[in-house]
Amino acid sequence: MYDFIDRPVTDLDNGGRFIVWAARSWVKAVGERRCPAHGIAPAFAKWNLLSGLQPFLAMMALFNRHGLQNFEFCGLQCNHVSEHEAIIVSLVCGLQDNDPVSVRHTLDLLVAEEAIGDMIASLDMLDKAMYAAGIRPGRGTADVATIDTEAKKSRR
């Protein structure tokens, strides 16, 4: 979590930025009583990540329904990563690091016991989908090639 918290979103790689954006968009849609899947599915499709949509939705629903604390997310325009956003990104990274014990201990503090198995399954499926799509989040910094490409496009 400390690799991500209070960092500018733009310092995250594509995977980290995607998770933060999707989580914020999910929260915004639910707060407005709209279907979150409808709002975020086009971005999942654009990134060739449709196989990760249902696990992501399940993960967010589990946090919402079985959370042991109130999760706080920044608004879409905010450029800093909140604590809970950082936790979600770090949970996905923890599975990549083959550190299921750490992921389990973190989840023990976040969700009710009966939700942990489903949460781990959702996180694992999301991680695999992100890996297959080539945007798996990491603990490093932003994708330099992507940032350079985006900057060049904006100058045109």
Side-chain angles (χ1 to χ4, degrees), residues 116-131:
I116 290 178
D118 290 337
M119 182 65 81
I120 290 172
S122 294
L123 286 163
D124 184 52
M125 288 186 282
L126 176 61
D127 175 53
K128 287 177 180 166
M130 294 186 84
Y131 176 77

Side-chain angles (χ1 to χ4, degrees), residues 38-61:
H38 182 73
I40 64 175
F44 275 75
K46 177 185 174 197
W47 284 92
N48 196 27
L49 194 53
L50 279 177
S51 63
L53 179 59
Q54 287 305 318
F56 177 81
L57 294 170
M59 174 193 74
M60 292 301 289

Side-chain angles (χ1 to χ4, degrees), residues 22-50:
R24 290 175 180 183
S25 296
W26 187 94
V27 170
K28 184 176 187 307
V30 169
E32 295 171 352
R33 297 182 177 259
R34 292 183 294 112
C35 173
H38 182 73
I40 64 175
F44 275 75
K46 177 185 174 197
W47 284 92
N48 196 27
L49 194 53
L50 279 177

Side-chain angles (χ1 to χ4, degrees), residues 2-116:
Y2 296 108
D3 293 327
F4 309 109
I5 192 168
D6 288 332
R7 285 181 53 189
V9 174
T10 53
D11 281 359
L12 301 178
D13 60 18
N14 287 337
R17 280 183 277 183
F18 187 85
I19 289 174
V20 169
W21 172 85
R24 290 175 180 183
S25 296
W26 187 94
V27 170
K28 184 176 187 307
V30 169
E32 295 171 352
R33 297 182 177 259
R34 292 183 294 112
C35 173
H38 182 73
I40 64 175
F44 275 75
K46 177 185 174 197
W47 284 92
N48 196 27
L49 194 53
L50 279 177
S51 63
L53 179 59
Q54 287 305 318
F56 177 81
L57 294 170
M59 174 193 74
M60 292 301 289
L62 288 164
F63 278 132
N64 189 43
R65 187 160 204 196
H66 299 283
L68 299 177
Q69 53 189 275
N70 288 326
F71 286 71
E72 301 212 6
F73 296 87
C74 295
L76 285 170
Q77 301 304 317
C78 180
N79 191 35
H80 282 84
V81 179
S82 76
E83 177 182 358
H84 291 106
E85 294 163 351
I87 289 170
I88 292 171
V89 175
S90 68
L91 286 168
V92 175
C93 289
L95 290 174
Q96 298 167 24
D97 299 340
N98 289 321
D99 192 7
V101 173
S102 177
V103 170
R104 169 63 195 227
H105 289 308
T106 301
L107 289 174
D108 283 339
L109 301 171
L110 298 173
V111 295
E113 178 66 32
E114 65 269 12
I116 290 178

